Amino acid sequence: MGTTCYTCFLSLLLLLLSPFALSERCNPQDKKVLLQIKKDLNNPYLLASWNPDTDCCDWYCVTCDPKTHRINSLVMLSSVPETNLSGQIPPSVGPVPDFLAQLSNLQLIDLSFNNLSGPIPSSLSQLPNLVSLRLDRNRLTGPIPDSFGSFKKPGPSIILSHNQLSGPIPASLGQLDPQRIDLSRNKLEGDGSVLFGANKTTQMVDVSRNMLAFNLSKVEFPRSLISSDLNHNEIYGSIPVGLTAVDFLQGFNVSYNRLCGEIPQGGKLQSFDVYSYFHNKCLCGSPPPNCK
Ligand SMILES: *[C@@H]1O[C@H](CO)[C@@H](O)[C@H](O)[C@H]1NC(C)=O
Ligand SMILES: *[C@@H]1O[C@H](CO)[C@@H](O)[C@H](O)[C@H]1NC(C)=O
Ligand SMILES: *[C@@H]1O[C@H](CO)[C@@H](O)[C@H](O)[C@H]1NC(C)=O
Ligand SMILES: *[C@@H]1O[C@H](CO)[C@@H](O)[C@H](O)[C@H]1NC(C)=O
Ligand SMILES: *[C@@H]1O[C@H](CO)[C@@H](O)[C@H](O)[C@H]1NC(C)=O
């Protein structure tokens, strides 16, 4: 009898306790970091649901891994009219929060369309599980951090387009093999050839509308390439014959550069129209005007 009652009491106690234990799935360290990020961003309305008294796995803009309950994605889209989240990060808000690097299980960061300014924190390369980094369509300045070459291989897809990034593309990026890399519409200079390489499995490279200047003749394109946009740069040399071996190339644009010589015959190179090749120094052959 006494034992039964004791059991009853214990069950009741467990019943009372369990909802609390279950409701707080969130990792306390992750919660602490998220609250710091919210503070760094000046408590934007977008993050109103990030209330310290509630489970961070239920907060807007983040998701938790179903098994470990660690934060594995952070997606903050605020100024896009199509999204349902209303309100936006105030214009006064400055840089991409450095604290992000402490959410060690993050697989996805999407802070695109946020009018964020300042430099890209180099600490992001410490995120070992990152699969996708999107910081496009902000007002970010400064260089692409050199540390990005030390992302755990193969490295995340990196989308940094529509910013005001300047300086060279770090040579260290040559060590990565990202599925997609989009650095278009920035103010990057110098060599872009490190993004290519015969042994890579990269599918998309977009460096259009920068100030890159390098010799295209020497570039070895990955066989895996599906699209590459190089338009509006200062790229010189000629189109390498090796590109005819890229069997699945669907998009290729080298217009508005300083290329010369004959476009190699073969592969997919004749499937692109004249607008993919126009405005170069002396590029010729099919489809642009014949040589000589
Ligand atoms: C989000 O917006 C779309 C299009 O306006 C609408 O169809 C949908 O119901 C909205 N979803 C929510 C959760 O409000
Ligand atoms: C972006 O920031 C600039 C400078 O602070 C501001 O003038 C502009 O209105 C902001 N744009 C949006 C869409 O918030
Ligand atoms: C590419 O891979 C081949 C075979 O694994 C190797 O021999 C070659 O050195 C590699 N080339 C580069 C540039 O890493
Ligand atoms: C580009 O590289 C090729 C192959 O190494 C070389 O023949 C050519 O002279 C170079 N072009 C320029 C403009 O440096
Ligand atoms: C290539 O880029 C140029 C310059 O932006 C553009 O005018 C042209 O339409 C593009 N070609 C294709 C096939 O998209």
Side-chain angles (χ1 to χ4, degrees):
M1 189 73 169
T3 318
T4 319
C5 267
Y6 177 71
T7 312
C8 285
F9 175 67
L10 200 71
S11 307
L12 189 69
L13 195 72
L14 281 175
L15 223 103
L16 281 172
L17 282 176
S18 58
F20 295 102
L22 277 178
S23 71
E24 192 63 41
R25 289 163 298 165
C26 174
N27 178 285
Q29 181 57 32
D30 286 357
K31 182 185 254 188
K32 202 173 137 201
V33 173
L34 289 174
L35 289 170
Q36 181 64 43
I37 290 170
K38 180 181 178 182
K39 193 169 155 234
D40 286 356
L41 292 174
N42 276 339
N43 301 314
Y45 180 69
L46 180 68
L47 305 182
S49 68
W50 291 20
N51 175 342
D53 300 330
T54 59
D55 186 347
C56 75
C57 291
D58 296 329
W59 293 355
Y60 275 168
C61 305
V62 295
T63 60
C64 281
D65 182 282
K67 288 208 184 83
T68 64
H69 305 308
R70 299 298 300 262
I71 298 293
N72 64 4
S73 93
L74 175 64
V75 176
M76 287 168 58
L77 292 167
S78 71
S79 341
V80 197
E82 303 84 53
T83 62
N84 295 27
L85 295 171
S86 56
Q88 56 183 258
I89 296 177
S92 60
V93 165
V96 178
D98 192 55
F99 266 91
L100 281 175
Q102 292 183 31
L103 295 172
S104 57
N105 278 40
L106 270 189
Q107 294 172 11
L108 189 100
I109 295 178
D110 188 346
L111 299 175
S112 51
F113 293 94
N114 275 309
N115 212 14
L116 296 171
S117 58
I120 298 175
S122 61
S123 57
L124 294 181
S125 63
Q126 293 162 16
L127 290 166
N129 299 308
L130 204 60
V131 175
S132 172
L133 174 64
R134 290 197 63 152
L135 301 175
D136 53 301
R137 294 169 201 263
N138 283 291
R139 291 183 302 118
L140 300 173
T141 52
I144 297 171
D146 207 21
S147 65
F148 272 24
S150 57
F151 266 117
K152 197 176 150 210
K153 314 288 170 284
S157 285
I158 298 174
I159 315 295
L160 305 176
S161 62
H162 294 83
N163 279 293
Q164 291 154 36
L165 300 171
S166 57
I169 294 173
S172 61
L173 288 198
Q175 294 159 35
L176 301 182
D177 185 17
Q179 193 181 62
R180 299 177 62 199
I181 186 151
D182 183 352
L183 309 178
S184 62
R185 294 180 190 256
N186 279 289
K187 297 174 179 165
L188 300 166
E189 315 175 321
D191 192 2
S193 65
V194 295
L195 304 178
F196 302 96
N199 288 357
K200 296 198 191 218
T201 59
T202 299
Q203 294 178 359
M204 194 277 264
V205 178
D206 189 345
V207 291
S208 60
R209 294 181 190 261
N210 278 286
M211 299 179 293
L212 299 175
F214 59 97
N215 189 342
L216 197 68
S217 320
K218 303 182 182 192
V219 172
E220 293 189 81
F221 288 88
R223 296 286 297 265
S224 51
L225 204 61
I226 291 171
S227 97
S228 189
D229 197 342
L230 309 175
N231 85 68
H232 281 94
N233 280 287
E234 292 155 29
I235 300 167
Y236 55 90
S238 55
I239 296 178
V241 176
L243 199 55
T244 61
V246 179
D247 297 326
F248 299 106
L249 198 61
Q250 286 168 18
F252 184 65
N253 196 334
V254 291
S255 63
Y256 294 92
N257 278 291
R258 297 185 182 165
L259 295 168
C260 259
E262 199 166 346
I263 296 167
Q265 288 284 330
K268 296 281 190 250
L269 291 184
Q270 276 67 47
S271 66
F272 308 114
D273 67 14
V274 65
Y275 300 106
S276 300
Y277 296 108
F278 75 154
H279 280 277
N280 272 284
K281 198 169 150 204
C282 50
L283 206 53
C284 63
S286 167
N290 283 338
C291 303
K292 279 180 279 156

